[in-house]
Amino acid sequence: MSEPYTKKQIVEMRKKHIGPSCKVFFAKDPIKIVCAKGQYMFDEKGERYLDCINNVAHVGHSHPEVTKAAMKQLELLNTNSRFLHDNLVRYAERLALCLPEKLSVCYFVNSGSEANDLALRLARQYTGHHDVITLDNAYHGHLTSLIDISPYKFLQLGKEGKKEYVHVAPSPDIYRGKYREDHPDPATAYAKEVDDIIKKAHKNNRKIAAFIAESMQSCGGQVIPPIGYFQKVSEFVHKAGGVFIADEVQVGFGRVGKHFWAFQLQGEGFVPDIVTMGKPIGNGHPMSCVVTTKEIAEAFGATGMEYFNTFGGNPVSCAIGLAVLDIIEKEDLRGNATRVGNYLVDLLNEQKQKHPLIGDVRGFGLFVGVDLVKDRTLRTPATAEAQHIIYKLKEKRILLSADGPYRNVLKFKPPMCFSMEDAKMVVKEIDDLLTALEEVTEIQSDADVDENNKKKRKEPTEQEESSSNKKGNVNRQRNGVDTESQKVSIKRHRT
Amino acid sequence: MSEPYTKKQIVEMRKKHIGPSCKVFFAKDPIKIVCAKGQYMFDEKGERYLDCINNVAHVGHSHPEVTKAAMKQLELLNTNSRFLHDNLVRYAERLALCLPEKLSVCYFVNSGSEANDLALRLARQYTGHHDVITLDNAYHGHLTSLIDISPYKFLQLGKEGKKEYVHVAPSPDIYRGKYREDHPDPATAYAKEVDDIIKKAHKNNRKIAAFIAESMQSCGGQVIPPIGYFQKVSEFVHKAGGVFIADEVQVGFGRVGKHFWAFQLQGEGFVPDIVTMGKPIGNGHPMSCVVTTKEIAEAFGATGMEYFNTFGGNPVSCAIGLAVLDIIEKEDLRGNATRVGNYLVDLLNEQKQKHPLIGDVRGFGLFVGVDLVKDRTLRTPATAEAQHIIYKLKEKRILLSADGPYRNVLKFKPPMCFSMEDAKMVVKEIDDLLTALEEVTEIQSDADVDENNKKKRKEPTEQEESSSNKKGNVNRQRNGVDTESQKVSIKRHRT
């Protein structure tokens, strides 16, 4: 075994051998993690971090049953799906049982991005159309075809970023969006926006292949669409000859507790045409899946073109996938997500009563967002404050992130074994930090807060480094025009 | 542990739950493999198959050192690359040491397809151009962006298959291509074709971002470009402001024996701007890599847009990658590839003396092709005969495939532990089969052979099922216009 590297050495080696676009958390003082167990990660000094962010380690870090399943299968065989193997069909059958009946045909691939790309190919082949409707702030993956449909990414590329075949609908965010919680029927209002897009597209002789949305937007700021929105959108999209793709890469596999899939929050009546999965599916093992209907799969097959994915559906990946499903069931992780998630939301709502900085608390199961605001009426995003909290929590050995278009939404998506005690502990720390922040704010003028804010942006000591880059802030910093206030004002007139 | 499924049950379950575009080998009587070791695979009855095709199981199926490395790391930690970890930088440094000095910056992803997609993104960002030059018969992956640059795939989509930004250069095949072994300088002649494409593109105000080619074409028919071709192409492409992408997904990691990368067959002087890796890199574990220069990586980073790949570069994948590199070295697999590969080529050349059906034997290390012809002068592809051999070898428990635009090239790419005895055994079987075939052919008229051929195409009992679909033959069969002779004649006037 080679000698371990110091953090400094790793940072130097990364500079030399890893693409500079690949960012680390807390760039100024990144964390070296050497092992992890359950909801805890440990650094090189043995310091324990509470992990509130790694939804990929779904059933808990380094779960022994996952390791056992992987090892057992690796010892026997790891090959491609052109040979018959029990694991592939056993896993496909198990997955299908977790889904509404009409979603019965699987394609196994290696990442959420591969899944979303294939979903687009399926949609286009089935419909014979090309255009895609996506939501504002959406992120669907790192591939060429997915940057195209991810405003979260392509807006960084300037006016040339949006392709003609892409149509962006407003995010159905009832806290910050166009139609808010005081609107009599935000679901219908947001769905009508999609219909308007379709009508406009048709006028321009464009045809809609698919509407794609995360069942709950993650990078977009933990946005929960109003109930009924997906059904209504689905009707409009079907009428236009398109299909509905539910991206469950971040939020699937029981994270919302009550349901196995987040799209099921929309009610029993709603079934997407295509569902994409990823991150938690293999507890960190590179695998993912697209599930669709018989009709769409047959249309894709009718071209005669083979779909072959070298690693997709190999017996090791399937063994791991089966182990993850077993653990979710055996350890009642959905039950835990509901119980702990409800408790976490209750605790956070108590904090909302106490702290004017908390504008909104929203979530289902262990997918929870806390929208920080400078002003509850204007809902001005408290970006610097969110970043401050993330950084301070890191000092307290708690890993939390902030995301959304303003990076002001504290984002909980921990391993599903997250406990009541964990929830209590992190909320207690947030309480202390908010109290301290509010004390400082009271004796500071607004200008001071802005100054503080700017200073932070110039020294991205926090998770900001990785998340802010997503929104192109480094670019703006380089151009010397980075001000939070400017950014907010640019966005606000749209909302 | 659940009861194992019968082959019939698996086939039924696949029909229900796996996309029909996902094909199996030998569709009429597919193989169920339950375990594998080294270069051998075992079916549910314990029957042993000699594996001549699975280049993914590079260091041998189920290598215990790979399993050990995976298990050891899975027990400790599997997380993303936003945390510092020794394995990521250790592996990146090791990979860089296997490459020419200027190729020093890595991006870790999950599949050869993800690698090629990212390579295109890097090329476009660096050059500011969009167009891509690809080779005829090339296959670079299953993603939307890669179907576009894979004539092997997009030609199946009819005239709308080729996008305007894609330019197809002739495959530098000196046996079947435009310039053959009797040409005084095929390297220059083929490179000039690329230059002509560039000039034509410029006339149409199009700008070349990249030339992409497998260092040796695999699906394209085990094509080995003449020495000097890449250098000359590279010069033309650089002059046009583009970059050279070497796709080593199939042929890298010492498969050619003498060199670690197949592009090095072109001589010391040649270094691509971007190299993509895949299949063998993790011995079946879903991982892959793009390596490029500091300049290209910096240009990609300068946009400020983060590149994050959830699973890419995780500590488990890197541990496995390191184990694979160790094994290649410790077990002298490159030496073995050279020795056994040379022996295999010698044996096959002996067969060529004996059997008129063998038109050409070509290869380096354990990447060898045998081009079967009905007529040595006309070089008429002996497609049905190749398929017959593949099928008969399967009965003898030997797994071999046939590929290339006419599916007439027997394709060896076995695990790197393939032995002299294995080579001898498979060539002996091929000898017997060719002898029998030639005896039949002598007493049959040409028409009979064609009839036999057609019959085979209607009953794809062989590997043909999976490989033929790649060329859209099922479609042609459905359209009722499938004749081998037609296909050949269509292609021939181009060569």
Side-chain angles (χ1 to χ4, degrees), chain A residues 192-484:
Chain A
K192 199 185 159 295
E193 294 275 337
V194 175
D195 192 35
D196 290 346
I197 285 173
I198 292 172
K199 282 177 182 151
K200 203 177 148 193
H202 285 176
K203 264 187 199 156
N204 295 321
N205 290 316
R206 305 203 65 94
K207 286 175 178 173
I208 306 301
F211 170 89
I212 184 168
E214 286 185 275
S215 300
M216 298 193 293
Q217 278 197 317
S218 179
C219 295
Q222 311 288 91
V223 174
I224 303 162
I227 290 177
Y229 171 67
F230 280 4
Q231 284 91 326
K232 289 181 213 305
V233 167
S234 187
E235 274 172 37
F236 291 132
V237 171
H238 284 162
K239 222 174 105 188
V243 300
F244 192 109
I245 305 171
D247 177 340
E248 291 269 338
V249 171
Q250 292 261 12
V251 293
F253 289 90
R255 175 150 298 275
V256 298
K258 194 177 160 194
H259 302 286
F260 206 87
W261 308 104
F263 71 76
Q264 294 170 317
L265 290 169
Q266 293 276 318
E268 288 269 322
F270 174 67
V271 182
D273 303 295
I274 302 176
V275 174
T276 59
M277 305 162 187
K279 298 187 189 285
I281 188 172
N283 217 46
H285 181 78
M287 61 185 285
S288 70
C289 188
V290 183
V291 187
T292 189
T293 64
K294 202 166 172 270
E295 292 69 30
I296 293 177
E298 278 172 0
F300 191 62
T303 64
M305 197 197 275
E306 186 187 7
Y307 180 79
F308 177 62
N309 189 305
T310 302
F311 305 128
N314 72 70
V316 177
S317 297
C318 292
I320 289 172
L322 281 163
V324 168
L325 293 181
D326 282 341
I327 299 163
I328 293 172
E329 214 171 289
K330 265 197 248 171
E331 301 186 3
D332 186 26
L333 292 178
R334 281 175 55 197
N336 190 63
T338 299
R339 287 185 297 274
V340 178
N342 285 344
Y343 180 63
L344 176 63
V345 167
D346 286 348
L347 290 179
L348 289 166
N349 273 321
E350 281 171 25
Q351 295 300 312
K352 188 180 157 189
Q353 302 300 319
K354 192 173 159 187
H355 299 289
L357 268 166
I358 298 182
D360 191 34
V361 173
R362 52 185 180 256
F364 277 100
L366 284 169
F367 186 80
V368 175
V370 183
D371 201 314
L372 297 188
V373 292
K374 289 182 185 178
D375 179 304
R376 281 197 177 169
T377 317
L378 294 174
R379 302 187 179 179
T380 323
T383 305
E385 290 78 359
Q387 298 299 326
H388 173 80
I389 285 170
I390 297 306
Y391 184 61
K392 286 291 177 188
L393 285 177
K394 181 218 173 196
E395 287 176 7
K396 301 272 185 185
R397 312 272 177 256
I398 294 171
L399 301 171
L400 195 70
S401 69
D403 217 327
Y406 312 100
R407 305 181 334 282
N408 69 312
V409 181
L410 303 180
K411 192 167 144 183
F412 289 83
K413 45 177 185 123
M416 296 275 281
C417 49
F418 203 72
S419 73
M420 301 282 196
E421 292 68 37
D422 299 326
K424 203 168 163 183
M425 197 260 266
V426 61
V427 174
K428 168 75 178 62
E429 295 293 347
I430 290 173
D431 183 10
D432 291 350
L433 288 168
L434 287 174
T435 305
L437 257 180
E438 283 156 358
E439 275 167 16
V440 175
T441 316
E442 268 172 39
I443 53 161
Q444 276 188 335
S445 71
D446 273 357
D448 285 337
V449 173
D450 272 346
E451 198 46 48
N452 183 27
N453 189 344
K454 274 183 205 160
K455 195 177 154 203
K456 278 199 185 314
R457 303 297 297 282
K458 276 176 203 147
E459 296 166 34
T461 55
E462 314 152 331
Q463 254 174 325
E464 182 187 357
E465 176 70 358
S466 73
S467 58
S468 76
N469 286 343
K470 295 179 215 157
K471 295 299 293 181
N473 292 308
V474 164
N475 229 5
R476 281 200 293 278
Q477 281 168 31
R478 282 194 184 136
N479 298 338
V481 293
D482 174 41
T483 68
E484 184 59 25

Side-chain angles (χ1 to χ4, degrees), chain B residues 396-429:
Chain B
K396 302 272 184 186
R397 313 270 178 256
I398 294 171
L399 301 171
L400 195 70
S401 69
D403 217 327
Y406 311 100
R407 304 181 334 282
N408 69 312
V409 181
L410 303 180
K411 193 166 143 184
F412 290 84
K413 45 176 185 122
M416 295 274 282
C417 50
F418 203 71
S419 74
M420 301 281 195
E421 293 67 38
D422 299 327
K424 202 169 163 183
M425 197 261 265
V426 62
V427 174
K428 167 77 176 65
E429 295 293 348

Side-chain angles (χ1 to χ4, degrees), chain A residues 3 14 17 21 31-32 71 81 84 90 104 106 111 114 121 142 144 153 279 306-307 310, chain B residues 3 14 17 21 31-32 71 81 84 86 90 104 106 111 114 117 121 142 153 279 306-307 310:
Chain A
E3 278 295 299
R14 279 183 75 120
H17 293 304
S21 315
I31 309 173
K32 178 176 180 180
M71 191 191 66
S81 62
L84 300 182
R90 185 166 283 144
S104 60
C106 307
S111 67
E114 282 196 359
R121 289 188 61 203
H142 53 68
T144 308
K153 286 280 182 189
K279 298 187 189 285
E306 186 187 7
Y307 180 79
T310 302
Chain B
E3 278 295 298
R14 281 183 74 121
H17 293 304
S21 316
I31 309 172
K32 178 176 180 180
M71 191 191 66
S81 62
L84 301 182
D86 290 352
R90 185 166 282 144
S104 61
C106 306
S111 68
E114 283 197 359
D117 183 87
R121 289 188 61 201
H142 53 67
K153 286 282 180 187
K279 297 188 189 286
E306 186 187 8
Y307 179 80
T310 302

Side-chain angles (χ1 to χ4, degrees), chain A residues 1-5 7 10-11 13-14 16-25 30-37 41 54 56 62 67 70-72 74-86 88-90 92-93 96 104-108 110-111 113-114 117 121 124 139 142-145 147 153 156-157 279 283-287 297-298 300-311 314 317 399 466 469-470 475 478, chain B residues 1-5 7 10-11 13-14 16-25 30-37 41 54 56 62 67 70-72 74-86 88-90 92-93 96 104-108 110-111 113-114 117 121 124 139 142-145 147 153 156-157 279 284-287 297-298 300-311 314 317 399 466 469-470 474-475 478:
Chain A
M1 187 57 197
S2 328
E3 278 295 299
Y5 296 120
K7 279 163 65 167
I10 296 178
V11 169
M13 288 168 81
R14 279 183 75 120
K16 213 168 153 187
H17 293 304
I18 303 294
S21 315
C22 307
K23 306 293 181 184
V24 292
F25 282 138
I31 309 173
K32 178 176 180 180
I33 294 293
V34 296
C35 66
K37 205 85 202 159
M41 302 183 94
N54 283 300
V56 173
S62 318
T67 305
M71 191 191 66
K72 208 173 141 192
L74 273 169
E75 276 175 347
L76 280 176
L77 173 71
N78 189 15
T79 195
N80 69 62
S81 62
R82 281 175 177 157
F83 299 99
L84 300 182
H85 197 279
D86 290 353
L88 178 76
V89 290
R90 185 166 283 144
E93 191 176 56
S104 60
V105 186
C106 307
Y107 298 84
F108 291 102
N110 308 299
S111 67
S113 288
E114 282 196 359
D117 183 89
R121 289 188 61 203
R124 286 182 177 141
Y139 175 62
H142 53 68
L143 298 167
T144 308
S145 61
I147 302 284
K153 286 280 182 189
Q156 299 173 47
L157 302 172
K279 298 187 189 285
N283 217 46
H285 181 78
M287 61 185 285
E298 278 172 0
F300 191 62
T303 64
M305 197 197 275
E306 186 187 7
Y307 180 79
F308 177 62
N309 189 305
T310 302
F311 305 128
N314 72 70
S317 297
L399 301 171
S466 73
N469 286 343
K470 295 179 215 157
N475 229 5
R478 282 194 184 136
Chain B
M1 186 58 196
S2 328
E3 278 295 298
Y5 295 121
K7 280 163 65 167
I10 297 179
V11 169
M13 287 168 83
R14 281 183 74 121
K16 212 168 155 188
H17 293 304
I18 304 293
S21 316
C22 307
K23 306 293 180 183
V24 293
F25 283 138
I31 309 172
K32 178 176 180 180
I33 295 293
V34 296
C35 65
K37 204 85 200 160
M41 301 183 94
N54 283 301
V56 172
S62 319
T67 305
M71 191 191 66
K72 210 173 139 192
L74 272 169
E75 278 175 346
L76 280 176
L77 174 71
N78 189 16
T79 195
N80 69 63
S81 62
R82 282 176 176 157
F83 298 99
L84 301 182
H85 198 279
D86 290 352
L88 178 76
V89 290
R90 185 166 282 144
E93 189 175 58
S104 61
V105 186
C106 306
Y107 297 84
F108 291 103
N110 308 300
S111 68
S113 288
E114 283 197 359
D117 183 87
R121 289 188 61 201
R124 286 181 177 143
Y139 176 61
H142 53 67
L143 298 167
T144 308
S145 62
I147 302 284
K153 286 282 180 187
Q156 298 174 46
L157 302 172
K279 297 188 189 286
H285 181 79
M287 60 184 287
E298 279 172 359
F300 191 62
T303 63
M305 198 197 272
E306 186 187 8
Y307 179 80
F308 177 63
N309 189 305
T310 302
F311 305 128
N314 71 71
S317 296
L399 301 171
S466 74
N469 286 343
K470 297 178 214 158
V474 164
N475 225 8
R478 283 194 182 138

